[in-house]
Amino acid sequence: LSLHDALPIFVEISKNHDVNKLKFDPSSVNSADYDLLMSAFGEEKMTDNVGGLVPFHSSKNQNEIAAMDESFALADKAIFETIKWTKNAVKEGKRISELDFYNKTNEIYKDHGAKAQSFNTISAVGANASFIHFSSPSADIPVVENEMLLLDSGAYFESGYATDTTRTFFVGDTPNAKQVEIYTLVLKGLLQAENAVFPEGTWGCAIDSLARMGMRQMGYDYAHGTGHGVGINVHEGGFRASPTSDTPILENVAGSLEPGIYLPGFGGVRLENIVLSEKHPKLKGMLRFRTFVYIGYDHDLIDRSLLTKDEEVWLDEYEEECKKRGTSFLS
């Protein structure tokens, strides 16, 4: 129902109810819609309300957090099993295509109870992983040894909350130096952002800068934001990490952290976890992130000499938790 078609309803409401204020978000209401609302309620009742209901629905209560934990646990298993299936198929010399990789992902999600995908799965092989939003998996492109594959996927399970996770992984024996370098730099960015400690209200641009710092020192960057809000919808307001984001990060907001490096003609790497901002247990006034996602990384692609001591600790702690959950490739 368009705002124009809803005008008679608004007029009826205005006549039969004592409306003191009509709040609207000037960033999402155009001038024509503003005129329609003003004709129904009067300009004196029109009140700016930037963000509208976004702050309300972006703040997750404990029931919502528990539902998201449950959904991501199922999604983790689906992604982990998809990656294992793909690695094993190549190792066994089976002929599988990029489209097979795509279809198998969605099939395994259904096996774990997914009602639908929360967005169209991105399953890219080799050079196609350099396209940030690759959307055309092909039956003519084989998954061959010594390539990197990028899998960006998510689903809706029983609770109705969206999942969204990206893993890049290697198939074959020994990755080349460039593959290892860009994977490790993206991993450094994710580890730095995910383990940040910051005052409540910190702008999203600060987290974005942490994610880019290591790769920028090596001459790399990426042409998309580092994070978006996640909840009932796979993209929500209330959380935005980008170079220009002035969105404050508040407690109990869920969002993605997804740095990447994309090299046309060569391939790309993106690693993405969905996190929740929460009060730091020891530092008053500070927030930290805790992840919903526990899927181990591809250690064939990690050059630990590029990691700081803190990053090595964070990586090892994460892998230990993944081992407990049966989703580490080191197990």
Side-chain angles (χ1 to χ4, degrees):
L1 189 65
S2 70
L3 200 54
H4 182 272
D5 293 335
L7 183 59
I9 299 173
F10 290 141
V11 171
E12 193 67 22
I13 292 172
S14 181
K15 286 180 179 178
N16 297 311
H17 299 275
D18 186 15
V19 178
N20 295 318
K21 289 182 180 180
L22 178 69
K23 295 182 178 181
F24 71 99
D25 185 349
S27 66
S28 60
V29 174
N30 61 38
S31 59
D33 287 343
Y34 178 87
D35 288 342
L36 286 172
L37 292 169
M38 186 176 65
S39 68
F41 295 97
E43 188 171 18
E44 70 281 357
K45 294 180 180 178
M46 301 286 285
T47 304
D48 288 9
N49 183 31
V50 176
L53 292 174
V54 169
F56 172 77
H57 72 67
S58 64
S59 178
K60 304 298 187 283
N61 63 39
Q62 292 305 308
N63 289 335
E64 291 177 295
I65 294 168
M68 292 181 72
D69 275 327
E70 182 179 336
S71 293
F72 275 97
L74 294 168
D76 289 351
K77 292 176 182 177
I79 295 167
F80 179 75
E81 289 178 16
T82 299
I83 295 173
K84 277 185 62 178
W85 175 85
T86 308
K87 281 177 171 283
N88 288 338
V90 173
K91 186 176 181 179
E92 293 166 6
K94 295 179 180 177
R95 201 280 184 190
I96 61 170
S97 70
E98 190 175 58
L99 185 60
D100 293 329
F101 174 35
Y102 171 90
N103 288 331
K104 193 65 176 181
T105 301
N106 296 343
E107 175 189 322
I108 293 177
Y109 266 104
K110 288 182 180 178
D111 290 342
H112 285 280
K115 305 299 181 183
Q117 302 305 121
S118 52
F119 59 94
N120 194 35
T121 298
I122 297 174
S123 55
V125 173
N128 282 342
S130 67
F131 296 96
I132 295 170
H133 296 116
F134 180 72
S135 59
S136 304
S138 173
D140 297 326
I141 296 178
V143 178
V144 297
E145 287 190 333
N146 301 326
E147 289 280 20
M148 290 192 301
L149 282 67
L150 188 152
L151 177 62
D152 187 347
S153 61
Y156 286 108
F157 295 90
E158 188 66 34
S159 70
Y161 284 83
T163 71
D164 179 9
T165 306
T166 306
R167 285 293 182 268
T168 303
F169 61 98
F170 179 78
V171 293
D173 294 323
T174 306
N176 63 47
K178 181 64 72 175
Q179 290 171 328
V180 171
E181 180 180 74
I182 62 175
Y183 185 95
T184 304
L185 291 175
V186 172
L187 176 62
K188 282 171 66 71
L190 179 56
L191 291 171
Q192 285 289 339
E194 190 171 275
N195 290 280
V197 176
F198 52 94
E200 183 168 16
T202 294
W203 286 0
C205 59
I207 304 302
D208 179 90
S209 182
L210 285 175
R212 297 175 194 266
M213 179 174 58
M215 66 178 67
R216 282 176 168 171
Q217 291 171 344
M218 299 284 284
Y220 297 101
D221 209 337
Y222 50 98
H224 61 77
T226 297
H228 57 82
V230 177
I232 291 291
N233 300 304
V234 76
H235 285 84
E236 290 190 349
F239 182 98
R240 180 171 169 261
S242 77
T244 60
S245 173
D246 59 1
T247 301
I249 301 176
L250 305 177
E251 184 185 0
N252 288 338
V253 173
S256 70
L257 297 174
E258 47 183 309
I261 294 176
Y262 311 92
L263 305 179
F266 178 80
V269 174
R270 182 164 64 250
L271 297 171
E272 175 190 20
N273 286 347
I274 307 304
V275 296
L276 180 78
S277 55
E278 63 178 14
K279 287 182 179 178
H280 196 284
K282 297 179 181 178
L283 303 176
K284 185 177 181 180
M286 294 292 179
L287 298 181
R288 67 177 184 181
F289 293 125
R290 67 91 153 170
T291 185
F292 286 108
V293 177
Y294 286 98
I295 306 168
Y297 300 108
D298 194 331
H299 286 251
D300 288 339
L301 289 166
I302 299 174
D303 180 356
R304 292 183 75 103
S305 72
L306 294 178
L307 302 180
T308 67
K309 289 183 179 180
D310 282 343
E311 289 164 355
E312 287 194 273
V313 170
W314 296 334
L315 173 60
D316 291 341
E317 289 176 347
Y318 184 82
E319 287 292 347
E320 282 303 313
E321 182 59 33
C322 292
K323 286 180 183 179
K324 293 176 184 177
R325 295 168 180 246
T327 51
S328 171
F329 296 98
L330 295 177
S331 298

